[in-house]
Amino acid sequence: MENRSEDYKGIWTLGEMREGEIHAVSYELLAWGKDLADKLGVELGSIIIGHNVKDKAKELIYRGADKVYVIYNPALKDFRADPYSKILTSLIDEYKPEIFIASATTIGRTLMPICAVKLQTGLTADCTGLDIDINERLLIQTRPAIGGNIMATIKTPTSRPQMSTVRPKSKGPLPIDESRKGEIIVKEFGGEYLASRVKRVDFLREETVGAPIQDADIIVSCGKGLKDGKNLRIINELAELLGGSVGASRKAVDLGWISYSHQVGLSGKSVSPRLYIACGISGAVQHLAGMSSAETVIAINSDPEADIFRAADFGVVGDIFEVIPLFIQKLKERTKE
Ligand SMILES: Cc1cc2nc3c(=O)[nH]c(=O)nc-3n(C[C@H](O)[C@H](O)[C@H](O)COP(=O)(O)OP(=O)(O)OC[C@H]3O[C@@H](n4cnc5c(N)ncnc54)[C@H](O)[C@@H]3O)c2cc1C
């Protein structure tokens, strides 16, 4: 079924809540949304779903939204895909935005495909760039494809809305402007909309060094060159000293040295830190696909021919068990100075 594109207008972003606060990715998305809305000359809307979220709506306006659609209810306190997707699709049916974007977080990646299927429209996941083809009034969605070897440009010419998820940290947020004015629209949903087949039992935080890798500014990542899981302590120590997080190749995960939530790559997470330090990682295309948007890459590998050096800004040919302790020593000396 084709949705009539002329009936759809405006850009929407999905706001995300974490532990009662708006998550930083929501502001990054607004920066993308504002850019697209200005190019199309349309309004920028943002949706926020949760409990006690009404007071937070103005923060989205200060960061670029013209309208914020607020849906709050104690039953919506924690993310669950079925009520959230029913509410979102209902709102999209009612207001008909031409573009709807979410962050490529666990929430965005779970919710958007469900909504796209319900709305019978296309979805481009994990974009690193968004733009507008002004002549055709179409969203240009750019994302790595074929294991990160090419950048694909994707359009959704017929069905609406045009939907994408965007990698966290692919754009910085706009500065806070408390003089911005906008409209806050509270929408009520009850009954069937709040029903869920999923019952939340508990939330267990994983014990780990630093922020989740998708949010981290600095990542120290390990590969099979680490030789044994017990050697993870040098990676943890370096990450801790740098105020960063620990990442891993799939081999390190498959060997049981570290949990899957740390895996960077095609079948793991996409990360965009300011600094990525790859330790004993060969640089397979599937790994590079997850870290190619890192700002600066340092590779430490004993094999001078390792592919990781082709993706690195700085390379150290050497044994990680010699190089990392030297790094750690230097950092400790610096903090003493
Ligand atoms: C469909 C599919 C999806 C995949 N998804 C992912 C993914 O999401 N993420 C991912 O990482 N991989 C993924 N892979 C696997 C990928 O192809 C590689 O096998 C994997 O990335 C290799 O991990 P590695 O670099 O740790 O190990 P290796 O390729 O074995 O490399 C180990 C490196 O350590 C170096 N080394 C050894 N000892 C030392 C030392 N003492 N000091 C310094 N360097 C040393 C070696 O020179 C070597 O370069 C995927 C594969 C497939 C087919």
Side-chain angles (χ1 to χ4, degrees):
M1 184 187 78
E2 277 183 23
N3 309 324
R4 284 159 38 93
S5 56
E6 58 273 26
D7 295 340
Y8 287 73
K9 198 162 184 196
I11 317 282
W12 274 14
T13 68
L14 179 68
E16 279 191 35
M17 295 296 291
R18 299 280 166 80
E19 296 175 23
E21 296 299 330
I22 295 179
H23 192 270
V25 292
S26 316
Y27 304 134
E28 295 167 16
L29 268 186
L30 282 170
W32 277 117
K34 183 93 178 75
D35 188 36
L36 304 175
D38 288 348
K39 283 180 178 155
L40 286 171
V42 295
E43 281 187 336
L44 174 60
S46 194
I47 305 180
I48 188 120
I49 305 176
H51 179 45
N52 291 333
V53 290
K54 195 173 167 218
D55 294 347
K56 311 278 177 200
K58 60 181 183 312
E59 293 175 31
L60 295 167
I61 292 172
Y62 296 160
R63 299 283 196 151
D66 300 307
K67 283 185 179 158
V68 180
Y69 300 85
V70 182
I71 304 93
Y72 63 94
N73 192 297
L76 298 168
K77 179 169 171 280
D78 301 305
F79 169 71
R80 280 168 309 150
D82 35 2
Y84 275 51
S85 61
K86 278 184 270 183
I87 290 170
L88 278 177
T89 47
S90 162
L91 286 171
I92 288 169
D93 275 340
E94 183 180 348
Y95 289 96
K96 300 192 170 12
E98 60 198 292
I99 293 171
F100 179 40
I101 57 176
S103 195
T105 55
T106 307
I107 290 180
R109 283 177 173 213
T110 308
L111 206 44
M112 294 293 267
I114 300 171
C115 292
V117 170
K118 287 188 180 190
L119 295 161
Q120 298 195 18
T121 188
L123 167 69
T124 305
D126 217 13
C127 294
T128 52
L130 296 177
D131 204 349
I132 296 289
D133 177 332
I134 281 294
N135 294 328
E136 293 186 297
R137 237 190 129 74
L138 285 178
L139 178 65
I140 302 171
Q141 305 157 97
T142 304
R143 57 150 297 154
I146 318 192
N149 284 318
I150 62 158
M151 295 303 278
T153 301
I154 298 164
K155 291 180 185 174
T156 310
T158 49
S159 45
R160 292 290 176 274
Q162 301 158 83
M163 289 178 57
S164 327
T165 58
V166 190
R167 277 190 195 181
K169 293 192 190 285
S170 52
K171 200 178 190 67
L174 296 170
I176 298 169
D177 177 358
E178 294 191 4
S179 67
R180 286 197 89 251
K181 299 273 177 278
E183 195 181 344
I184 296 172
I185 301 153
V186 176
K187 300 292 293 182
E188 304 274 345
F189 285 90
E192 176 49 29
Y193 282 99
L194 304 181
S196 174
R197 288 167 297 165
V198 177
K199 185 169 166 251
R200 186 177 190 272
V201 178
D202 202 354
F203 178 78
L204 297 176
R205 192 180 296 280
E206 189 179 22
E207 292 296 327
T208 177
V209 172
I213 53 170
Q214 63 277 21
D215 299 332
D217 267 345
I218 297 176
I219 297 175
V220 183
S221 227
C222 59
K224 199 181 169 211
L226 196 63
K227 306 222 171 1
D228 196 307
K230 67 177 189 306
N231 298 327
L232 200 60
R233 62 183 166 70
I234 57 165
I235 304 291
N236 283 337
E237 190 176 356
L238 181 57
E240 223 162 324
L241 279 166
L242 291 168
S245 303
V246 175
S249 73
R250 177 158 152 182
K251 275 200 184 162
V253 172
D254 286 350
L255 286 161
W257 299 344
I258 190 162
S259 67
Y260 170 71
S261 63
H262 296 265
Q263 184 180 316
V264 174
L266 194 62
S267 52
K269 294 207 170 102
S270 295
V271 296
S272 320
R274 282 189 296 114
L275 176 64
Y276 189 84
I277 308 182
C279 309
I281 293 177
S282 59
V285 284
Q286 295 89 351
H287 186 81
L288 301 182
M291 43 69 77
S292 54
S293 48
E295 238 172 81
T296 302
V297 176
I298 301 177
I300 311 168
N301 197 304
S302 50
D303 174 6
E305 301 299 320
D307 287 332
I308 192 73
F309 288 125
R310 278 189 262 279
D313 300 284
F314 301 97
V316 183
V317 178
D319 185 331
I320 54 170
F321 299 105
E322 288 171 18
V323 179
I324 295 177
L326 286 173
F327 254 141
I328 290 173
Q329 191 190 327
K330 275 275 170 228
L331 284 167
K332 283 183 174 166
E333 281 168 16
R334 275 208 174 183
T335 45
K336 268 193 218 145
E337 280 167 12

